[in-house]
Amino acid sequence: MLINITGCFLIEFLVTEPNSWVQLTIHLTEGDASGTGKPARYRHDQLYVAVLEAARKQGLAGVTVTRAVAGFGASRRIRTTRILALSLDLPLVLTIIDRYEALDRFMPTLRRMLQGQLVTLQPIEVLSYTEVGDRK
């Protein structure tokens, strides 16, 4: 089943095991889509910071933001650290890991924040994880 998230598609699949762990991956750039080099924003925060904070407030198990050294996406424009002018607009990857049910509850928030970024969802096997206290 494909779900439209304001211009991008999230592939949702049937999870057969209750409490199955999944990984939600969001691909974006530091800059906005207009190519101005200004940070992509949601309200007053940089987009990646806003997603990170929203996930933490909702009590998700974990989020990691990774800054890439190079990449390109739908625009086919290469973003790299090798070209100084473009190094302010590097690719970012947000990896969110939690149980399917928790990410499903987070999706309405994420849909409001994203505008055309690539989002993927895949099942994963968690080999080790320690919950510390209440996540909310």
Side-chain angles (χ1 to χ4, degrees), residues 13 20-24 96-98 100 103 121-124:
F13 50 89
S20 294
W21 288 88
V22 293
Q23 176 178 310
L24 181 81
I96 304 174
I97 295 175
D98 208 321
Y100 177 81
L103 287 176
L121 183 68
Q122 58 270 352
I124 60 170

Side-chain angles (χ1 to χ4, degrees), residues 29-41 46-47 77 88-89:
T29 61
E30 291 175 307
D32 65 11
S34 67
T36 63
K38 295 178 183 174
R41 297 204 170 271
Q46 285 186 297
L47 180 58
R77 189 173 123 219
L88 300 174
D89 192 21

Side-chain angles (χ1 to χ4, degrees), residues 2 21 26 43-44 48 75 87-88 91 94 108-109 120 123 128 135:
L2 293 178
W21 288 88
I26 305 165
R43 296 189 178 151
H44 299 293
Y48 79 92
S75 72
S87 66
L88 300 174
L94 283 74
T109 300
T120 63
S128 175
R135 291 201 275 162

Side-chain angles (χ1 to χ4, degrees), residues 1-12 107 110-112 114-117 119:
M1 174 191 219
L2 293 178
I3 300 173
N4 191 337
I5 302 181
T6 61
C8 66
F9 290 93
L10 169 69
I11 299 175
E12 187 173 321
M107 289 311 300
L110 197 58
R111 283 187 185 99
R112 286 190 300 273
L114 299 180
Q115 298 177 3
Q117 290 80 11
V119 179

Side-chain angles (χ1 to χ4, degrees), residues 6-93:
T6 61
C8 66
F9 290 93
L10 169 69
I11 299 175
E12 187 173 321
F13 50 89
L14 294 175
V15 177
T16 56
E17 298 288 321
N19 293 319
S20 294
W21 288 88
V22 293
Q23 176 178 310
L24 181 81
T25 307
I26 305 165
H27 298 265
L28 51 103
T29 61
E30 291 175 307
D32 65 11
S34 67
T36 63
K38 295 178 183 174
R41 297 204 170 271
Y42 178 74
R43 296 189 178 151
H44 299 293
D45 290 324
Q46 285 186 297
L47 180 58
Y48 79 92
V49 173
V51 172
L52 183 75
E53 286 295 327
R56 186 179 60 83
K57 286 178 185 173
Q58 191 149 336
L60 295 182
V63 179
T64 300
V65 179
T66 306
R67 186 181 202 205
V69 296
F72 72 89
S75 72
R76 311 295 294 170
R77 189 173 123 219
I78 293 177
R79 291 163 167 83
T80 179
T81 58
R82 297 180 122 205
I83 303 170
L84 184 58
L86 296 179
S87 66
L88 300 174
D89 192 21
L90 291 172
L92 296 174
V93 177

